[in-house]
Amino acid sequence: MKEMTSLHWNYISLNRLMRLLLLEMAWDLVLCQLHYIIPEESKHGTFVGRIAQDLGLEIGEINPRMLRIISRDEKEYFQVNLQNGILFVNNIIDREEICPKIAVCVIHVEIIVDKPVQIYHVDVEIEDVNDNYPLFSANEFNMVIAESMVSGSMFPLEGAFDADVGTNSIKTYELSSNGYFALDVQTDKRQSESLELVLKKSLDREKIPLYNLTLTAFDGGKPRLSGTAQLLITVQDVNDNAPTFDRPVYEISVLENSQKGTLVIQLNATDLDQGENGEVMYEFSNLVPSPVRSTFAIDQDKGEIRVKGEVDFEKTNHYEIRVDAIDRGHYPMTGHCKVSVNILDVNDNPPELTVTSISVPVPEDSSVGTTVAIIRIQDKDSGVNAKVSCYISEQAPFKLKPTIREYYSLTVHGPLDREKISEYKVEITAKDEGSPALSVTENIHVAISDVNDNAPSFLQFSDTIFIMENNPPGSHVYTVSAADPDIKQNSFITYSLIEGAVNGIPISSYISINPENGKTFALLSFDREQIPFFQCQIKAMDAGLPPLGSNLTIHVFIVDINDNPPTLSPLFSNTDSTVTEMVPRSAKAGYLITKVRAIDADSGFNAWLSYNFKDPIEKLPFGIGHSTGDITIARSFAESDSDEYKLFIQVKDHGEPAMSVMVTITILLVDTVQDNKVEPYHKGVKYEDFPNANVYLIMSICLISSMFLVTLIVYSVVKWHQYTLELKELKQCNIDSSIAGSWTYSLQRQYKLYLNGIPSKNDLIVFTQPTDKEENPNQTGFVTDSQGKPKQPHPDWRYSASLRAAMQSAVHVEGSAVLRQGPGGLEQQWPTVSSATPEPDGGEVSPPVGAGVNCNSWTFKYGPGNPKQPVPQIPPDFPENFIIPGSPAIISIRQDQPSAQDPPKSNNFITFGKKEETKKKKKKKKGSKNQEKGNNAADNSDQ
């Protein structure tokens, strides 16, 4: 019956244990986002789970977003393959080392992904593997049992220890077969097992004084492992009553951090024996481990258990102390009890603040909400003492934002400006809710990185510099300087010239600038007389992205120096600088002889001239105006005065140093001036008012006018000569002047021909008939080829105005030509080969092979500068056929419509042909005469 009751209670205890395990596992699954299970002792590289796929991350996001893994105990048990997102075992895990005496061993892992920051919590449960044998503390246990012990007496045994848990822990004990002893295993509400040796029947020391039994412990693993120990039981016949405690188990609570000597509990055990057999002393059982012995102590006489060492809830929150009560008999007997000590938590641990991730420096243009750092807050206490609040102590443009569990993110909460504050000292305080509350403060230095948000600036928008002319090329003339409040490359300034021009010359040909230090140099020697002033712009550009810049306008004035000597007027600028003047002896004082004129290209004092006699002689009868250069007679001439004087006049400026020029004037005194030069007075005007330069100008004008008149006369003679030649040619071709005149008159009345916008001349041009080998005109007057089809007209029949006169003299009445209506007007067929004319814009002219004076088949082709000249259009009222009076030629005008088979080549045609006669004899006579005339014309061309 007792065994059935024991089994029933064991079943109930096991059921409760399973429920607790399932509840704890479910709670862990609620608190985590992913839960994996792997066996312990897994090798490196063992697959744990597809972490990226389970978290919903793309494989391509793992590297850019910097996925990393953080374990709470800072041991890298796991790693993530960044190529495929698989979580694998990094180090072999010994479950008994990291989770001793814990039924469910879970390793908490945080997966942190940046950009944006996300935290995932992953729990990896370590399954126990049956890799530990049950072990006893000793190989042999010696026991002394009095023979007076009655059946059912129980003797506690030290059980075996198995580091495994669950089914892999110790499940059963077996005792070698005997008839006196059995085993009894008891489990309390804390699932703590008590192993006792039960006496089945009374002992008889005289029969069996010693028992050697084997105790075997088995675990529940597969395969099942076991451990053994020897029980050496000695039977004694003394003191048959053992001390007994009030309760078998005592429950007590103790505050952590209790001072040494603090009373935990006072035990009391009684012994029914008398004398020494009834005196009890208290001791810790041999089953009490050394950590408990170092924490608590027991008084042997009083049974008081007091604090001996440090009591820390965070290390151990529960102690089990086994106490033996031993009497003082010759054969002492022992009573047993168990003291369960619960440690109560005290708020003795301040929060722990750890910066797990920080992204510094922070760009000054970061937007609100940008994550700066990830902060982890922990408190080793429990309950209310472990609840922590976190905040920023001082005002700063940052904000703390809670994320998951004990993590906070430090984000940007306001605008940042590195030029105002380049670094922030963020003081973060974490405070728990214990009593009294504990807090911790951590300073995070957040550096602000520069962004190119400031352009280089000059002290002023423009500046003025002065450069002395004739400066040496390459001389330093100015230094520009700009400031940029940014740093590093954003403040690295380069200087450059903005493109511009001075008098059509690029500004970079005048000055250059050093791009690094802003020193400006003159590339050439300036001449104020050519460039007195110019301005340029200098750009200062930083090296940021994108670069920023500003401009400075520099006004450059060239300062004049005295580098140009005075220059005499053209009258005094001959090679010997000598001028001769004739003065009548009768001239009075104040008579103006001449004026010395000079100019200076300089300016200011450097251009202020003075005129003086060099080494003046006081007896000279002449004077000079120092500022005007007028040479006058100072006194009347005397008989003793010389007839010739040489005056050396120095023209000098006021520069430093002064520059001068010399001129020599020879003055001849004559009785009268009429024989040597023009009368000085003419109609009230003096000779001095007409210098020699004006005389030369008048002579040049007269010469040019004479050349112009001669040119006009020659041109008129040439034109008249050409006109007479034309009349002669007309006579040779047997054309009456009256006929030519009437034809010209008729053309003038019907329409006007314009070439190049100039009215054409009313001259008749008749072209010769082509040979049979080249072209065959049909009866209608069209020019045809050998097959009888109309021949395509030559596109380049154009001619220049310079050859019109030559064409007008070449007329042949027996020839024929066709004017074809084209897009720009009438076009004429010219059956010749082309040759270039010497004029580039005059076009091309092509004479026929063997052409003479009377065979005028020319082709004129306009060049690029001469557009195609239009042929005069036929007026609507022009008669279709008309006859030149007194001439056998018939002019017919036809407007043919193009057929559907042939392309429209022309619309209007003018055909020059012979007048038909009714009699064949006349035609033969006419043909023979024309043949003779053609032969004569050919002979003339050969000549």
Side-chain angles (χ1 to χ4, degrees):
M1 184 70 181
K2 185 177 180 181
E3 292 179 356
M4 292 293 294
T5 305
S6 177
L7 291 173
H8 177 71
W9 284 107
N10 288 340
Y11 176 78
I12 295 174
S13 300
L14 182 61
N15 190 14
R16 290 179 179 177
L17 178 61
M18 293 299 295
R19 289 182 180 179
L20 289 173
L21 290 176
L22 291 175
L23 181 61
E24 185 177 358
M25 291 175 63
W27 180 254
D28 289 338
L29 289 174
V30 170
L31 293 180
C32 70
Q33 292 176 331
L34 292 177
H35 189 90
Y36 298 104
I37 299 176
I38 62 169
E40 69 169 327
E41 304 294 337
S42 297
K43 296 182 180 180
H44 173 78
T46 301
F47 173 84
V48 179
R50 300 184 182 278
I51 192 71
Q53 180 178 354
D54 296 340
L55 294 177
L57 298 176
E58 296 292 336
I59 299 300
E61 295 179 352
I62 297 177
N63 276 322
R65 297 186 62 185
M66 300 173 62
L67 185 144
R68 61 185 184 279
I69 185 170
I70 297 178
S71 300
R72 290 188 179 182
D73 53 1
E74 299 181 357
K75 292 183 178 180
E76 296 181 355
Y77 291 115
F78 304 96
Q79 282 293 336
V80 176
N81 190 329
L82 299 181
Q83 303 298 326
N84 52 25
I86 292 178
L87 182 67
F88 64 93
V89 176
N90 188 35
N91 294 318
I92 297 176
I93 302 173
D94 188 358
R95 182 188 178 284
E96 287 74 27
E97 179 182 356
I98 62 175
C99 301
K101 298 181 181 181
I102 297 177
V104 179
C105 181
V106 178
I107 297 178
H108 301 285
V109 176
E110 278 78 29
I111 304 296
I112 299 179
V113 182
D114 293 334
K115 299 178 182 178
V117 177
Q118 292 180 338
I119 301 176
Y120 303 93
H121 293 274
V122 179
D123 291 346
V124 182
E125 181 180 347
I126 310 302
E127 280 187 334
D128 185 47
V129 177
N130 192 21
D131 58 343
N132 292 283
Y133 287 83
L135 296 175
F136 291 90
S137 60
N139 294 327
E140 293 181 354
F141 294 98
N142 293 316
M143 298 180 65
V144 177
I145 300 177
E147 60 179 346
S148 59
M149 289 292 179
V150 297
S151 300
S153 297
M154 305 181 73
F155 306 95
L157 295 177
E158 180 180 359
F161 172 77
D162 194 338
D164 298 325
V165 295
T167 58
N168 297 325
S169 63
I170 297 174
K171 295 298 180 182
T172 60
Y173 289 90
E174 291 183 4
L175 189 63
S176 59
S177 60
N178 64 90
Y180 293 93
F181 298 97
L183 291 178
D184 184 21
V185 180
Q186 299 289 335
T187 305
D188 58 10
K189 63 180 181 180
R190 291 185 175 272
Q191 303 299 317
S192 177
E193 294 182 348
S194 298
L195 180 64
E196 294 181 342
L197 184 66
V198 180
L199 183 63
K200 294 192 294 183
K201 61 182 179 178
S202 299
L203 299 176
D204 188 358
R205 188 190 62 82
E206 289 72 24
K207 292 182 178 180
I208 304 177
L210 180 66
Y211 293 90
N212 188 356
L213 305 177
T214 301
L215 179 62
T216 305
F218 294 94
D219 60 19
K222 291 183 180 180
R224 191 170 65 164
L225 302 178
S226 63
T228 60
Q230 298 297 320
L231 296 180
L232 298 178
I233 303 173
T234 303
V235 180
Q236 291 182 352
D237 187 17
V238 242
N239 197 12
D240 55 353
N241 291 294
T244 58
F245 288 93
D246 299 336
R247 295 194 299 263
V249 178
Y250 294 89
E251 294 281 347
I252 193 69
S253 298
V254 178
L255 292 174
E256 71 168 326
N257 299 331
S258 296
Q259 295 181 358
K260 293 181 180 180
T262 301
L263 178 63
V264 177
I265 191 173
Q266 185 174 3
L267 301 176
N268 185 26
T270 60
D271 196 328
L272 298 177
D273 295 330
Q274 293 180 350
E276 291 183 355
N277 292 331
E279 294 179 2
V280 179
M281 60 179 181
Y282 302 91
E283 292 181 355
F284 286 141
S285 172
N286 294 330
L287 304 178
V288 177
S290 57
V292 177
R293 293 177 182 272
S294 62
T295 306
F296 301 99
I298 188 170
D299 191 316
Q300 289 185 353
D301 297 330
K302 298 179 181 180
E304 295 177 349
I305 298 177
R306 294 182 180 274
V307 176
K308 177 184 177 182
E310 180 184 4
V311 180
D312 191 352
F313 174 85
E314 286 71 37
K315 292 182 179 179
T316 306
N317 57 8
H318 177 75
Y319 293 93
E320 269 190 6
I321 305 175
R322 294 180 180 270
V323 180
D324 294 338
I326 305 172
D327 60 23
R328 296 182 183 274
H330 184 69
Y331 296 103
M333 300 187 69
T334 304
H336 309 282
C337 75
K338 183 169 64 175
V339 179
S340 179
V341 181
N342 296 319
I343 307 301
L344 301 179
D345 183 44
V346 176
N347 191 26
D348 59 339
N349 292 286
E352 295 180 0
L353 192 152
T354 306
V355 179
T356 61
S357 177
I358 185 169
S359 178
V360 291
V362 179
E364 61 178 324
D365 61 347
S366 298
S367 58
V368 175
T370 302
T371 301
V372 178
I374 302 296
I375 301 169
R376 183 182 181 185
I377 307 296
Q378 287 180 307
D379 198 318
K380 294 181 179 179
D381 296 324
S382 61
V384 178
N385 298 329
K387 293 183 179 180
V388 181
S389 60
C390 190
Y391 57 91
I392 296 176
S393 303
E394 298 180 357
Q395 186 176 2
F398 300 98
K399 182 181 179 181
L400 277 175
K401 181 180 178 182
T403 55
I404 302 176
R405 288 185 181 176
E406 64 269 15
Y407 283 92
Y408 289 81
S409 61
L410 180 65
T411 60
V412 177
H413 190 58
L416 304 176
D417 190 351
R418 189 207 64 82
E419 286 71 37
K420 294 181 179 179
I421 302 176
S422 61
E423 184 178 8
Y424 289 91
K425 182 181 179 182
V426 182
E427 187 177 85
I428 300 175
T429 301
K431 186 177 181 180
D432 60 24
E433 297 182 6
S435 181
L438 300 177
S439 63
V440 65
T441 301
E442 182 76 18
N443 292 323
I444 298 178
H445 295 272
V446 180
I448 308 300
S449 64
D450 184 49
V451 175
N452 192 25
D453 56 348
N454 293 281
S457 60
F458 295 96
L459 296 178
Q460 52 193 0
F461 295 104
S462 63
D463 199 358
T464 302
I465 62 173
F466 297 91
I467 302 176
M468 299 294 292
E469 68 171 332
N470 298 336
N471 57 293
S475 59
H476 174 249
V477 296
Y478 186 68
T479 300
V480 295
S481 178
D484 195 324
D486 296 326
I487 59 174
K488 295 182 180 179
Q489 69 173 13
N490 295 331
S491 64
F492 182 76
I493 301 174
T494 56
Y495 303 91
S496 62
L497 284 173
I498 298 179
E499 290 298 330
V502 179
N503 296 335
I505 300 175
I507 197 69
S508 57
S509 300
Y510 291 92
I511 60 174
S512 66
I513 187 169
N514 190 315
E516 296 181 358
N517 53 28
K519 290 186 176 182
T520 306
F521 302 90
L523 295 179
L524 48 77
S525 180
F526 290 103
D527 188 355
R528 187 192 177 281
E529 288 71 38
Q530 295 182 0
I531 303 176
F533 164 79
F534 66 91
Q535 67 179 17
C536 63
Q537 285 188 325
I538 295 177
K539 176 180 285 187
M541 187 73 68
D542 59 27
L545 291 175
L548 301 176
S550 60
N551 298 337
L552 172 66
T553 302
I554 298 180
H555 303 279
V556 182
F557 290 89
I558 308 302
V559 180
D560 183 57
I561 63 174
N562 192 25
D563 59 341
N564 291 285
T567 303
L568 297 172
S569 63
L571 184 62
F572 301 96
S573 60
N574 50 2
T575 56
D576 54 359
S577 298
T578 301
V579 178
T580 302
E581 296 289 344
M582 290 179 287
V583 179
R585 284 184 173 272
S586 61
K588 304 297 182 180
Y591 177 84
L592 179 62
I593 300 174
T594 186
K595 292 184 177 181
V596 178
R597 291 290 179 264
I599 59 174
D600 198 316
D602 297 324
S603 61
F605 279 94
N606 297 327
W608 185 16
L609 303 179
S610 62
Y611 304 86
N612 294 287
F613 290 127
K614 185 177 181 181
D615 301 330
I617 302 174
E618 296 181 357
K619 295 182 179 181
L620 283 176
F622 307 103
I624 186 170
H626 296 292
S627 59
T628 62
D630 295 343
I631 300 176
T632 58
I633 297 176
R635 59 176 177 81
S636 299
F637 296 110
E639 293 292 337
S640 59
D641 291 333
S642 176
D643 293 336
E644 181 179 352
Y645 292 92
K646 278 192 176 183
L647 303 180
F648 299 95
I649 300 172
Q650 183 182 37
V651 184
K652 183 178 181 183
D653 58 24
H654 287 74
E656 289 292 339
M659 304 185 74
S660 62
V661 65
M662 293 291 297
V663 60
T664 303
I665 298 178
T666 302
I667 298 178
L668 301 177
L669 299 182
V670 296
D671 294 334
T672 177
V673 191
Q674 295 179 355
D675 298 336
N676 297 291
K677 64 179 180 179
V678 182
E679 183 67 29
Y681 298 98
H682 181 68
K683 293 184 180 181
V685 180
K686 295 183 180 181
Y687 171 76
E688 290 80 4
D689 295 337
F690 296 94
N692 294 337
N694 293 341
V695 176
Y696 298 151
L697 179 61
I698 293 172
M699 292 175 61
S700 301
I701 293 173
C702 294
L703 180 61
I704 293 172
S705 300
S706 302
M707 293 175 65
F708 178 75
L709 290 175
V710 171
T711 303
L712 286 179
I713 294 171
V714 172
Y715 178 78
S716 300
V717 171
V718 171
K719 294 299 290 182
W720 177 254
H721 180 67
Q722 290 179 353
Y723 182 71
T724 56
L725 289 177
E726 290 176 2
L727 292 179
K728 290 180 181 180
E729 292 294 332
L730 288 174
K731 291 180 181 180
Q732 291 178 4
C733 294
N734 297 326
I735 293 179
D736 245 0
S737 62
S738 60
I739 295 174
S742 62
W743 166 243
T744 303
Y745 178 73
S746 64
L747 286 181
Q748 187 174 9
R749 291 187 59 187
Q750 294 298 330
Y751 57 86
K752 293 183 178 180
L753 175 64
Y754 292 96
L755 299 174
N756 290 332
I758 303 175
S760 63
K761 297 180 180 180
N762 297 325
D763 296 332
L764 176 63
I765 303 174
V766 183
F767 302 95
T768 61
Q769 175 115 10
T771 61
D772 295 336
K773 294 181 181 180
E774 297 178 355
E775 296 177 352
N776 297 319
N778 57 14
Q779 295 178 358
T780 59
F782 290 89
V783 179
T784 61
D785 54 11
S786 60
Q787 297 178 0
K789 297 182 180 180
K791 186 176 180 181
Q792 180 70 22
H794 196 283
D796 296 328
W797 67 277
R798 299 175 290 275
Y799 54 90
S800 63
S802 61
L803 298 176
R804 292 174 189 164
M807 290 170 56
Q808 291 171 0
S809 62
V811 179
H812 200 285
V813 296
E814 294 180 1
S816 65
V818 177
L819 296 179
R820 183 171 65 86
Q821 177 69 23
L826 292 176
E827 299 179 0
Q828 192 161 2
Q829 179 75 21
W830 302 88
T832 55
V833 245
S834 299
S835 62
T837 60
E839 298 178 7
D841 294 335
E844 295 180 0
V845 58
S846 300
V849 180
V853 177
N854 296 326
C855 281
N856 293 283
S857 298
W858 296 76
T859 295
F860 300 91
K861 180 178 179 181
Y862 274 78
N866 292 285
K868 187 175 181 181
Q869 300 299 326
V871 175
Q873 302 299 314
I874 302 173
D877 55 350
F878 198 80
E880 182 175 356
N881 297 308
F882 65 92
I883 302 173
I884 301 176
S887 174
I890 299 175
I891 297 178
S892 63
I893 300 176
R894 296 182 357 134
Q895 296 188 359
D896 296 338
Q897 298 296 332
S899 63
Q901 297 178 356
D902 298 331
K905 298 182 179 179
S906 61
N907 295 329
N908 299 329
F909 298 91
I910 301 178
T911 305
F912 296 88
K914 296 181 180 180
K915 182 178 179 182
E916 296 182 0
E917 295 182 1
T918 57
K919 294 181 180 180
K920 297 180 179 180
K921 294 181 179 181
K922 293 182 178 181
K923 291 181 179 179
K924 292 180 180 180
K925 291 179 180 181
K926 289 274 186 178
S928 60
K929 290 180 179 181
N930 291 335
Q931 187 175 2
E932 291 177 0
K933 292 179 179 180
N935 295 332
N936 294 331
D939 296 337
N940 294 331
S941 62
D942 294 334
Q943 293 176 2

